[in-house]
Amino acid sequence: MVYLGIALCFLPLIISFVLFACVFKIKVTHELIAILLGLAAVFPISVIQFFLPGLPILSGMPILKSLLKSLFIYGLIEEIIKMLLVIPLPHKNYSLLNFLLLSFLMGLAVGCFESLVYFLDKLQIANSRGASLLYGQIFVRILSSDLIHMTCTGLSALFITSCRNKPKNFLILLAAIFIHGFYDFFAGFHNGLRWFAIPVILLGIVECRIKYSSVQNLCEDRLTIFY
């Protein structure tokens, strides 16, 4: 059951890898680059998450401290790191959609690795207490985390595209930062507030679709002016 759980952590990444290559004709080598860039983002993110949470700030206001921590660490820092690593993603001779899909794959790599760490951590805690692991809750968390990493990395890719085509649209990057920050804030609760993470995920999907249309129109207008 443990090995099945580990395999399921990476199932979304495997399915997306095959789908993007077969249906959208994205080069397998480029997909591997996207995955490696996603894994490269995990190390600095993990180091920052390990050292910063212990800082003694706002100790008397736990809710505000949690919100600021989520926005600063999971929102600002994590999304800036992923945005910088989106820059080397292959994009020449690719449509905006294919570049967006590559960024989705990169985000999935981050999400799936985090899912593995989350799964193994919960498994260790359950074993130490002699309890059984609630796989349903674990995989709900995994799916939601994968979606938020996909959409936020996609927004970072759209921001990079806007920078390449001018004018820069910093609202796209801000959307990724705040969506990821608020998702982690709500997902961290163990009461009914955690369900507010679902509207945040849906907002991320909608924002990704809206910003995609906006950047696509920008690229088309630029081509029209060029010709």
Side-chain angles (χ1 to χ4, degrees), residues 63-90:
I63 299 296
L64 182 58
K65 178 181 178 180
S66 178
L67 177 59
L68 292 178
K69 172 187 169 183
S70 296
L71 290 174
F72 181 66
I73 298 178
Y74 304 110
L76 180 64
I77 294 179
E78 188 166 332
E79 290 308 319
I80 290 295
I81 290 172
K82 288 195 295 180
M83 181 269 294
L84 292 174
L85 287 170
V86 162
I87 296 173
L89 271 180

Side-chain angles (χ1 to χ4, degrees), residues 8-221:
L8 287 175
C9 287
F10 289 97
L11 185 60
L13 182 63
I14 295 169
I15 292 174
S16 298
F17 186 94
V18 174
L19 180 67
F20 295 169
C22 296
V23 177
F24 296 96
K25 308 303 179 185
I26 298 177
K27 292 183 178 179
V28 170
T29 52
H30 291 172
E31 289 188 298
L32 291 174
I33 290 172
I35 292 173
L36 289 174
L37 287 171
L39 294 178
V42 172
F43 178 72
I45 289 170
S46 300
V47 171
I48 291 169
Q49 289 177 0
F50 179 79
F51 284 106
L52 283 185
L55 295 177
I57 56 172
L58 300 174
S59 56
M61 295 178 283
I63 299 296
L64 182 58
K65 178 181 178 180
S66 178
L67 177 59
L68 292 178
K69 172 187 169 183
S70 296
L71 290 174
F72 181 66
I73 298 178
Y74 304 110
L76 180 64
I77 294 179
E78 188 166 332
E79 290 308 319
I80 290 295
I81 290 172
K82 288 195 295 180
M83 181 269 294
L84 292 174
L85 287 170
V86 162
I87 296 173
L89 271 180
H91 64 280
K92 291 184 179 179
N93 301 320
Y94 275 145
S95 66
L96 178 60
L97 175 60
N98 282 2
F99 181 58
L100 182 64
L101 292 176
L102 268 180
S103 71
F104 282 168
L105 201 64
M106 175 182 160
L108 263 178
V110 178
C112 288
F113 188 84
E114 283 192 0
S115 297
L116 176 63
V117 173
Y118 181 81
F119 172 75
L120 294 176
D121 179 59
K122 294 299 181 183
L123 181 64
Q124 183 180 14
I125 293 173
N127 288 338
S128 66
R129 295 177 178 176
S132 58
L133 194 63
L134 298 176
Y135 287 93
Q137 293 182 7
I138 297 295
F139 292 122
V140 166
R141 167 72 180 183
I142 286 172
L143 290 174
S144 60
S145 178
D146 287 348
L147 282 173
I148 208 70
H149 278 292
M150 276 182 62
T151 54
C152 288
T153 309
L155 287 169
S156 291
L158 294 173
F159 168 69
I160 293 299
T161 303
S162 76
C163 292
R164 287 172 176 152
N165 290 275
K166 304 291 188 321
K168 301 178 182 67
N169 190 344
F170 285 98
L171 290 178
I172 302 177
L173 182 59
L174 285 175
I177 290 170
F178 279 99
I179 287 170
H180 196 166
F182 277 108
Y183 163 78
D184 269 283
F185 172 68
F186 287 118
F189 284 96
H190 298 287
N191 54 28
L193 286 174
R194 72 182 186 275
W195 296 112
F196 281 97
I198 296 176
V200 177
I201 295 171
L202 295 176
L203 176 63
I205 295 171
V206 171
E207 273 295 298
C208 209
R209 181 67 183 88
I210 293 172
K211 296 300 189 288
Y212 169 78
S213 297
S214 175
V215 173
Q216 187 178 44
N217 291 335
L218 173 68
C219 294
E220 290 174 352
D221 290 344

